[in-house]
Amino acid sequence: MKAKNINLLFAFVAVLLFCFSCFCISKMNQTINQLINCRNHILEFKETMLRLKNRSDSHHQNLVQVLNEMKYEIAKTGDASGNLVERKMSMLSENGILPNRFESLRFFLPHLRITGNMYPDVATGRGKAGVSFALGITTINRRNHTYLKQTLNSVLSRMTPEEEEDSVVIVSVADTDGYLNSVVDMVKTKFKRQVKSGSLEVISIPTFFYPSTLLDTARVDSESWQIKQALDYCILMLYAQPKATYYLQLEDDIIAKQMYFTKMKNFVNSLTSKNWLYIEFSVLGFIGKLFQSKDLLDFVHFFLMFYKVKPIDLLLNDIFLVRMCNLGEDLGSCIQRQKEVRIQYRPSLFQHVGTHSSFPGRKQYLKMVNMHFQGVGLCLSLLFITVNAEFMNDGVEVEDFNENSGESNIKEDETSSGTIKYKTPQPIGEVYFTETFDSGKLAGWVLSKATKDDMDSKISIYDGRWEIEELKEDQVPGDRGLVLKSKAKHHAISAVLAKPFVFSDKPLVVQYEVNFQDGIDCGGAYIKLLADTDDLILENFYDKTSYTIMFGPDKCGEDYKLHLIFRHKHPKTGAFEEKHAKPPDVDLKEFFTDRKTHLYTLVMNPDDTFEIFIDQKVVNQGSLLEDVVPPINPPREIDDPNDKKPDEWDDRAKIPDPSAVKPEDWDENEPAQIEDSSAVKPDGWLDDEPKFIPNPSAKKPDDWSDDMDGEWEAPHMPNPACQIGCGEWKPPMIDNPKYKGVWKPPMINNPSYQGIWSPQKIPNPDYFEDDHPFLLTSFSALGLELWSMTPNIYFDNFIICSEKEVADRWAEDGWEPKIMVANANEPGMLKQLTTAAEEHPWLWLMYLVMAGLPIALVTSFFWPRKVKKKYEDTGPKTTDICKPQTKAALEQGAEEEKAPEKPEDLEEEKQPSDGDMVIVEKEKVGEPEEKREEQETIEGQEEMNKLNKSGSEDEMKEADESTGSGDAPVKSLRKRRVRKD
């Protein structure tokens, strides 16, 4: 019976597993596109010189001025003595050029309030800025153990030249001049190219940044080390903040994985939201934490408030709670949002290798487990479901075909046969322009011979190449399209409409197809509807040619756009102004990255409304009057340009109290800190000994060239004689109890305050009211004027008409066959897993385990089992003899023994039953199987008696005597059980 129940249980579990598998398979249709995108998600964005130039011109003009002044000062005051610090940045702060971000340190660090200009010393660097990523590395002297050279070699050698140009690595030396000297020598020797290009900088943190307690070399404890480490990080963050869009924190004892920069950059660019707090590219401490530079000041201020309480890496958890949790919000619901703003990237891109900590005498063994296996759990959990889903793919795809098909019977036959019969679309109804490119010729299209204005002659020519080709993937036999072939060149091509489109009482419908076959880095795929003017010459088509509407996708960086721009004519001045439709509310990234052919449709109606479709689904709609920027109609009133603020206007809300008087005991000359008069120079302090001496065991490198590298000097090491201290001894500084600072009168409310002044309003002389903006300038040509960093952009099946039904029919014949073929060619999950295993052979073992595990479980569940017959089946009363006795049963037996016995009962007890005889005989014979079972019963009884711990030996004897004066063998069996109990 028990075996049957177990089999039923196993069967029930198997049914549950099967149901769960079916449920997961049903969800596969919803997630298949995401899984495919994960496999095909190879984003190798290459930043262009044009983007860098634009960003540099717009955000870093002051930096160019700074660099020029630095070069002038260096040339003017060049130091031939080979001084370590090549240039000081503090002079720039005096000129007011540098931002005031370091001034905030005065609030958190009182000892800096009497310090003048604050800025780290730049030992070597070119002032590089305007890049995407700044990588910060703090380093201090680890005595005889250094990992900095290994770290820099790993970080710099695993960048491509383009990535190196778009980044800057900053090494911050937070130690003595001796260690700084050795770091600069190593950097200039081993990384000459990076130093020369400005991609590698070395800065030094002056000692005045630290409190006096941290400068005491005799006091080295974990608390001081923690405080100094936090200050080092904060100062480095402030220095790097204006240099890049993102800041990555590293340490001087790590190595980076291959292509770490490419993976990191692609991952950041793939994020659709920029509201994240930070990204973890490593889970160890503060290593691999990526911040947005615009947030660094907030992080620094938070660290400076609590750096004495916790290590800086633990403060990252606290800043999340402070910044992201609302007042009164439940902590659990707040933490659930953590994954949205605190993003973890797997596998880790950085490995900690240093065993000797920067804290003297401490060793650490922080190692990351090979992160290749972090995805094994997901792979194993989905493998069994994937195999089932693969066998069901055909049915799923046929259903998709049926949903997309207007002629189900014909297309089902075509799908089942594996071929699509393509026929060139033919327009039905009135059309103004159509083009399919199926003829293989550019009939009617004109290549531009113009040049762009205000650009170098070499790059201003429209020399981009166009070709008519089939799709690279998912081809439909007989279907061709127009392909933009050149990279980083200007393209311009146009064609005349069959007749001009005049805006009157008919809608405008514009539709065409686009496929970014190689993805898209920076470029557009929009069209321009060229205005019907007398001076329109297609050979002279360029970026400033007058157009009426610009429509289509465009992307650069992580900005995905779908343009709708129209040029509206001012009824009074006659000038044209561009009006931009509001951006769509949907995420457009998928249409740029999935490498499928997408259908873009624009509908503008005479009732001044518009609709934008992608793949025949509305993604944007609105009113031409209300949903464009700037609005069609200007404001009725504007500020009076001739109105000026009166000289007597007082807009100061607070003023110094004129009646306040400085107290007589207020001494402004008292310093903020004074020497500790109670301090005594330690015994054994060597005033005449240097702190660092040349390393006597150092040898000149074999590849050292005196001509190229200069005269070789041995690196310095700590002076072993300075066990207590060396150099001039000075007592430490302490806070001055008499310090009060400069006296300032308190602020009071200004009785003459008049508020914030604003000019008065006057009627707008250019005001007009256009209630019908649909009546735009007519257009007579369609043009493509594009520049792209990614080639092979595919265009096909242009149509301009006045009826949406005509465009839908056109799409049914031209676009839907492409979608059918693309869906049919989508790789199944089994194929994706096979491809992954080809790249990582160890996955085959995981697949084998997951494939064999269900078979083994099912076999073990349903395999027949041998059931042993219990000796209880041989007689009806053996269960009474072998049954474990509880305390209640023993007490009941004792009561029955005390009760008077009837003669009949005594007679029956004297005669043993058949079952009893069988038991006795078997006991005498001594069969092993029965003895084992009896012994198990007796042992079970012993355990029960131990747990109960009740019932005395006398009670158990009474229970034994209550069995009567039956046959001797039975009685002996009873007594033996009691003795064992």
Side-chain angles (χ1 to χ4, degrees), residues 401-413:
F401 294 163
N402 291 339
E403 290 175 1
N404 294 330
S405 173
E407 300 173 0
S408 58
N409 295 333
I410 297 176
K411 295 192 176 181
E412 282 178 4
D413 295 338

Side-chain angles (χ1 to χ4, degrees), residues 40 54 86 134 144 249 332 365 370 494 528 656 671 688 707 767 831 853 931 975:
N40 295 329
N54 292 337
E86 296 178 358
N144 297 327
Q249 182 64 60
Y365 300 94
N370 192 335
S494 56
K528 291 182 177 181
D688 299 330
D707 296 333
Y767 174 75
K831 184 176 180 181
L853 184 60
K931 283 186 177 181
K975 289 183 178 180

Side-chain angles (χ1 to χ4, degrees), residues 185-425:
D185 288 344
M186 182 271 293
V187 166
K188 288 185 176 181
T189 302
K190 300 299 181 181
F191 305 100
K192 296 178 182 179
R193 178 174 56 81
Q194 289 83 356
V195 171
K196 185 177 181 180
S197 66
S199 297
L200 178 59
E201 296 185 5
V202 179
I203 66 172
S204 174
I205 302 178
T207 56
F208 64 75
F209 275 101
Y210 304 109
S212 58
T213 55
L214 299 182
L215 302 178
D216 186 2
T217 57
R219 178 190 176 188
V220 182
D221 53 33
S222 59
E223 182 179 357
S224 301
W225 175 78
Q226 170 186 316
I227 292 174
K228 182 177 181 300
Q229 184 187 52
L231 293 178
D232 294 342
Y233 281 131
C234 292
I235 295 172
L236 178 56
M237 287 179 171
L238 291 176
Y239 175 81
Q241 190 261 341
K243 288 180 171 291
T245 306
Y246 303 101
Y247 173 77
L248 179 68
Q249 182 64 60
L250 300 175
E251 293 185 4
D252 63 347
D253 55 351
I254 60 98
I255 58 174
K257 292 183 62 175
Q258 292 287 350
M259 296 182 65
Y260 79 96
F261 196 95
T262 302
K263 296 176 182 178
M264 177 178 66
K265 184 177 179 181
N266 291 343
F267 181 76
V268 173
N269 291 337
S270 67
L271 298 177
T272 57
S273 173
K274 295 299 182 182
N275 294 328
W276 48 269
L277 200 59
Y278 61 91
I279 303 176
E280 294 181 318
F281 289 100
S282 174
V283 296
L284 296 179
F286 213 46
I287 301 172
K289 303 301 184 287
L290 183 76
F291 307 89
Q292 300 185 70
S293 294
K294 63 183 180 64
D295 297 333
L296 283 181
L297 287 179
D298 295 337
F299 277 97
V300 169
H301 292 167
F302 188 85
F303 294 152
L304 291 176
M305 284 192 287
F306 303 105
Y307 69 95
K308 294 183 179 180
V309 181
K310 288 184 179 181
I312 192 169
D313 53 330
L314 298 183
L315 290 176
L316 289 176
N317 298 325
D318 297 334
I319 195 173
F320 162 74
L321 298 177
V322 172
R323 186 167 180 176
M324 304 307 300
C325 298
N326 299 321
L327 183 63
E329 182 181 3
D330 179 63
L331 184 60
S333 61
C334 175
I335 294 178
Q336 289 180 356
R337 302 199 311 269
Q338 180 172 352
K339 293 183 179 180
E340 301 175 3
V341 296
R342 185 178 178 181
I343 304 173
Q344 292 184 345
Y345 177 87
R346 295 294 178 270
S348 175
L349 297 181
F350 304 98
Q351 172 68 59
H352 185 271
V353 295
T355 57
H356 293 270
S357 171
S358 57
F359 181 74
R362 177 184 296 175
K363 290 189 177 182
Q364 54 192 8
Y365 300 94
L366 299 176
K367 294 288 182 182
M368 285 294 299
V369 178
N370 192 335
M371 299 305 292
H372 283 299
F373 291 93
Q374 287 198 350
V376 170
L378 177 63
C379 177
L380 297 182
S381 62
L382 289 178
L383 178 61
F384 182 70
I385 301 169
T386 299
V387 174
N388 291 337
E390 181 66 22
F391 292 138
M392 299 179 66
N393 268 352
D394 292 340
V396 174
E397 291 175 355
V398 169
E399 290 174 4
D400 291 341
F401 294 163
N402 291 339
E403 290 175 1
N404 294 330
S405 173
E407 300 173 0
S408 58
N409 295 333
I410 297 176
K411 295 192 176 181
E412 282 178 4
D413 295 338
E414 293 171 352
T415 304
S416 61
S417 63
T419 60
I420 299 291
K421 294 181 180 179
Y422 173 76
K423 186 178 180 180
T424 300

